[in-house]
Amino acid sequence: MLNLTKNLPIIINKLTTPQSQKLLKFTSNIHSTAGNRQNDQNLKTSVVPQKSKIINPLKHEDFFQINELVKLEDLFKARCHYGHHHGLRCPWMNEFIFGTRITTDIIDLDQTIPLMKRALNFIAHIAFRKGVILFITRYAQHIPLIEQSALEVGEYSHCKPWRNGTFTDSTRRFGSVIRLPDLCIFFHTHEKLNEAHGALSETAKMLIPTVAICDSDSDPSQITYPIPANDDSLVSQQLYTRLIKEVIIKAKKKRQELEEQGYVIQYE
């Protein structure tokens, strides 16, 4: 191929007619066109569309490593297997009772473990999706623990007497449209002796999912994720709050890390 730039000085010296100007202009156009083509080619090769990093937490079997948190030994030491007097047993809890010892129902912890893992996993997903979680109890000895636990993880608690219509008639009660919780966690399902907490029926009516510690005298039929376990002992409540706080903090931290890494989170 003829290199016109190399021979250009010789041609210019030999041609003194106006043809030299035409030749010079022609060679300049050749190099200009070739340079533009090369730049376009470099631009096309350098601009490569990047595939967005998409992650679906539901496709992972244990996205938040919940299985390693719940241990049978911890539940046993926290006396989570103690139920109430067998005369107070709710018929819906029969399947979770291991037996009776000295008139006291014993809860089957082998059933408690998988149900607790499932409930903790659901709590983690709600926290991961920036949902509003409401801690609920009316058990006087546990109120300071529950309120402090909700505060530590940036969530909410309701430990006062329940007013009917708080969820079902919230617009009239609060004077405007409010956001209801995405999840309610009941650490005790009774408001008074043998009287179910008023929020249980309202969450069911408003289709708000629930997680609840269900003792032998509780009715698990209204609970989305029941956890058969002792709901009276302070030691057991400390274990429940510790586990729930841990999964909420872990879920929020994991979402922050994935967003910083550029992941797109999709639940489909």
Side-chain angles (χ1 to χ4, degrees):
M1 181 177 178
L2 178 62
N3 191 341
L4 296 177
T5 23
K6 184 176 180 181
N7 300 325
L8 184 59
I10 302 175
I11 296 173
I12 292 174
N13 291 333
K14 289 184 177 180
L15 296 176
T16 57
T17 63
Q19 294 179 353
S20 62
Q21 299 296 329
K22 294 181 180 181
L23 180 60
L24 180 60
K25 184 177 181 181
F26 173 71
T27 54
S28 299
N29 291 337
I30 291 177
H31 283 278
S32 177
T33 304
N36 292 336
R37 289 179 180 176
Q38 184 64 31
N39 292 336
D40 293 341
Q41 186 66 26
N42 293 339
L43 185 61
K44 290 180 181 180
T45 56
S46 61
V47 180
V48 179
Q50 295 183 354
K51 294 182 179 179
S52 58
K53 296 184 291 185
I54 300 175
I55 186 168
N56 185 353
L58 295 179
K59 292 185 178 180
H60 298 263
E61 184 176 354
D62 189 16
F63 190 70
F64 302 104
Q65 292 82 45
I66 301 296
N67 291 331
E68 61 187 27
L69 297 179
V70 184
K71 299 179 181 178
L72 178 62
E73 183 180 1
D74 294 338
L75 295 175
F76 185 79
K77 288 182 177 180
R79 293 174 282 183
C80 299
H81 57 292
Y82 288 155
H84 287 273
H85 189 278
H86 68 87
L88 299 174
R89 183 194 304 176
C90 175
W92 295 103
M93 286 295 294
N94 285 336
E95 61 178 305
F96 304 116
I97 303 301
F98 179 81
T100 303
R101 180 173 176 80
I102 316 178
T103 70
T104 300
D105 284 334
I106 305 300
I107 298 173
D108 188 0
L109 294 182
D110 286 334
Q111 297 189 59
T112 301
I113 290 177
L115 292 175
M116 179 173 285
K117 289 180 179 179
R118 188 178 70 155
L120 291 174
N121 184 64
F122 183 75
I123 294 172
H125 278 284
I126 294 295
F128 184 78
R129 300 188 69 174
K130 300 181 179 180
V132 175
I133 301 176
L134 183 64
F135 292 25
I136 299 176
T137 190
R138 280 294 296 142
Y139 202 88
Q141 288 82 354
H142 303 159
I143 288 178
L145 173 64
I146 302 306
E147 290 180 339
Q148 182 62 30
S149 299
L151 185 63
E152 290 176 357
V153 294
E155 299 299 339
Y156 306 88
S157 62
H158 190 291
C159 302
K160 297 180 180 181
W162 187 261
R163 294 186 178 182
N164 293 332
T166 300
F167 287 164
T168 55
D169 195 16
S170 59
T171 302
R172 185 182 66 83
R173 180 167 294 279
F174 298 104
S176 61
V177 178
I178 65 169
R179 177 178 176 177
L180 297 178
D182 299 290
L183 170 65
C184 290
I185 303 177
F186 290 86
F187 292 88
H188 202 278
T189 57
H190 291 95
E191 190 162 7
K192 298 178 182 178
L193 184 62
N194 295 331
E195 182 180 331
H197 199 289
L200 286 173
S201 60
E202 293 201 19
T203 53
K205 292 175 181 178
M206 301 302 295
L207 302 179
I208 300 174
T210 54
V211 171
I213 307 297
C214 295
D215 212 325
S216 60
D217 63 341
S218 302
D219 182 5
S221 62
Q222 299 184 63
I223 309 301
T224 314
Y225 295 94
I227 303 174
N230 180 9
D231 65 357
D232 295 317
S233 171
L234 180 61
V235 177
S236 61
Q237 290 288 339
Q238 289 172 343
L239 175 63
Y240 308 147
T241 53
R242 178 178 65 82
L243 291 173
I244 291 173
K245 286 192 301 181
E246 190 169 347
V247 299
I248 291 177
I249 293 174
K250 180 181 292 187
K252 291 182 177 180
K253 183 178 179 180
K254 190 158 191 175
R255 183 182 184 97
Q256 182 180 359
E257 292 175 351
L258 292 175
E259 289 179 345
E260 290 176 353
Q261 296 173 10
Y263 280 92
V264 177
I265 301 169
Q266 291 184 353
Y267 273 85
E268 294 180 359

